[in-house]
Amino acid sequence: MTRARDVAALFESAFGISPSGVWSAPGRVNLIGEHTDYTGGFVMPLAIEQRAFVAARPRADRVVRAVASGHEPRSISLDEVGLGRPDGWLAYLAGAAWVAERSPAHDAPGHGWDLALLSDVPVGAGLSSSAAITCATLLAMSDLDDWPEGRQELARWAQRVEHEVAGIPCGIMDQTASLQCTSGHVLFLDTRSQELVQVPWPASDTGFALLVTNTRAPHMLVDGQYADRRRMCEEATSIMAVPSLRDATLSDLDAAMQRLSDEQAACARHVITENARVLATRALLESGRAMEIGPELTASHASLRDDFRVTVPQLDCAVEAALAAGARGARMTGGGFGGCTIALVDRTSAEAVAHVIDAAFADAGFTAPEHFVAVPSEGAHRE
Ligand code: GLA
């Protein structure tokens, strides 16, 4: 609650008036289902405790004026928003209002907003700090203006903010996680049908924990690598003549091998096997065998390293060290090229595993990582 009070105080000191309310939305880690969300596949993210808090109040004009802790206030007219405008954190706040007014359901031009932002989701760590900001903002606007859209529509709008304002061609996982996760659960999402299933995550007293390691290796999705992998998947889909990679099997892949480049084949193999691992993980969790998901996590990492090629030495090092220290399974989580790993560990050994990872990083000369235990948390809500 104190972060909610802090962001309201920030709003008041910047604008000299009280906000209409405060909303928050979480970051996420993905348990499994990586680089499957833009080819109609399956993902299983969970919301983390770290959240973005947004205080909001409508304005009568078309200006979005915003303040973020540690930054000078910024503003932009809704008429100036577009690809790359504004940049930085304001893109997610102004982009939310801009995308909403472009929805066919909202026939009248939108109005401006005063907004304050405070977030404890680490930025650039692959924990979906930007989805947290956009989702908190959209939910604030939706509640205050009584929009009829449900949460999954808001998730799609948040994705449009990434595509059309921030310029990042992401899938729908992060935004769905931020808006739809519930505490104590991992969210199973079929990105094609948009079916959502809340899969219970074992209570903390069952003896194991999900240790998150922020490798602090620079994480950049904008540098073209993400778009490149996405293109490989699209090319493989069309060469294999399937509606989406979700529909392909390993025998389809074998049959098309002559026509695929090595890179296209490897990317497709990752996605096909990863979708199967998500389904296996879900089945194990639903039958109370959570401790047995470890090999699925580790196999996912190997596939992302060898076939999809989105790991970096820090991610591989954290995974190897965690496994050597007795983790049941470990993998990179998020887009890759830096960011975080997760390791399934016995609760009592979480600290020891973290120390082994620290030592391996020190030996390799990497920046010291940071760790926390992920607690599956509540999605976006009004504070
Ligand atoms: C990023 C994107 C997601 C998803 C993951 C990879 O987090 O924002 O949509 O594609 O990478 O699974």
Side-chain angles (χ1 to χ4, degrees):
M1 224 16 223
T2 65
R3 305 294 276 163
R5 273 201 296 273
D6 291 348
V7 78
L10 177 67
F11 186 102
E12 277 165 25
S13 71
F15 305 126
I17 190 168
S18 303
S20 309
V22 172
W23 285 257
S24 74
R28 63 98 190 90
V29 291
N30 187 17
L31 182 64
I32 196 159
E34 218 64 85
H35 287 280
T36 52
D37 68 341
Y38 45 83
T39 46
F42 309 115
V43 294
M44 284 191 83
L46 53 127
I48 54 176
E49 289 177 296
Q50 293 87 334
R51 307 177 74 86
F53 293 80
V54 170
R57 186 184 179 98
R59 294 171 59 94
D61 59 15
R62 288 181 52 74
V63 173
V64 174
R65 195 168 57 147
V67 61
S69 65
H71 297 269
E72 286 297 307
R74 295 173 66 188
S75 64
I76 187 167
S77 160
L78 283 174
D79 302 311
E80 290 162 15
V81 176
L83 187 60
R85 297 188 316 272
D87 60 3
W89 54 273
L90 189 58
Y92 304 106
L93 302 170
W98 181 81
V99 161
E101 79 169 349
R102 298 164 83 81
S103 145
H106 295 204
D107 46 2
H111 57 78
W113 296 88
D114 283 338
L115 301 163
L117 166 68
L118 202 62
S119 176
D120 50 29
V121 185
V123 174
L127 295 171
S128 296
S129 58
S130 58
I133 298 171
T134 315
C135 292
T137 307
L138 278 168
L139 194 65
M141 294 173 174
S142 175
D143 280 357
L144 290 172
D145 279 1
D146 277 328
W147 294 345
E149 289 80 14
R151 285 187 175 227
Q152 203 49 25
E153 189 62 22
L154 297 185
R156 280 189 284 271
W157 291 3
Q159 183 191 25
R160 283 186 59 191
V161 173
E162 294 283 359
H163 290 190
E164 296 172 36
V165 184
I168 293 176
C170 63
I172 190 75
M173 167 169 71
D174 307 342
Q175 297 74 13
T176 305
S178 191
L179 282 158
Q180 303 276 24
C181 279
T182 58
S183 89
H185 296 88
V186 180
L187 180 71
F188 173 88
L189 167 67
D190 176 335
T191 61
R192 179 155 71 191
S193 70
Q194 306 271 304
E195 178 200 14
L196 301 167
V197 181
Q198 303 290 344
V199 180
W201 181 250
S204 54
D205 59 9
T206 45
F208 65 94
L210 203 58
L211 177 71
V212 181
T213 298
N214 177 2
T215 66
R216 299 172 73 204
H219 159 90
M220 292 290 289
L221 291 184
V222 253
D223 67 359
Q225 297 274 23
Y226 184 91
D228 173 74
R229 298 303 185 283
R230 196 177 167 142
R231 199 181 55 249
M232 287 294 151
C233 290
E234 281 156 10
E235 289 168 2
T237 306
S238 96
I239 293 169
M240 292 167 73
V242 284
S244 80
L245 282 186
R246 145 82 171 279
D247 304 296
T249 62
L250 286 176
S251 16
D252 294 332
L253 182 63
D254 275 346
M257 223 47 172
Q258 303 298 324
R259 285 169 285 132
L260 293 165
S261 71
D262 290 351
E263 267 187 311
Q264 291 163 339
C267 284
R269 184 164 53 232
H270 164 71
V271 175
I272 293 167
T273 56
E274 183 78 352
N275 278 324
R277 285 185 287 270
V278 180
L279 296 178
T281 301
R282 176 183 168 184
L284 286 169
L285 285 178
E286 285 178 339
S287 55
R289 292 156 63 196
M291 247 340 188
E292 294 170 45
I293 70 173
E296 303 295 336
L297 305 185
T298 306
S300 167
H301 185 81
S303 177
L304 288 156
R305 181 191 59 214
D306 303 336
D307 277 342
F308 217 68
R309 295 179 305 105
V310 291
T311 71
V312 292
Q314 289 90 332
L315 290 168
D316 295 334
C317 177
V319 164
E320 280 155 27
L323 293 172
R328 310 274 179 126
R331 60 183 291 273
M332 56 153 274
T333 184
F337 310 108
C340 291
T341 60
I342 52 172
L344 186 69
V345 298
D346 294 323
R347 177 158 290 271
T348 49
S349 70
E351 217 171 300
V353 174
H355 283 142
V356 173
I357 299 173
D358 288 345
F361 269 52
D363 280 350
F366 298 146
T367 305
E370 290 166 346
H371 313 272
F372 64 92
V373 168
V375 178
S377 299
E378 198 59 39
H381 57 231
R382 186 173 190 159
E383 291 289 327

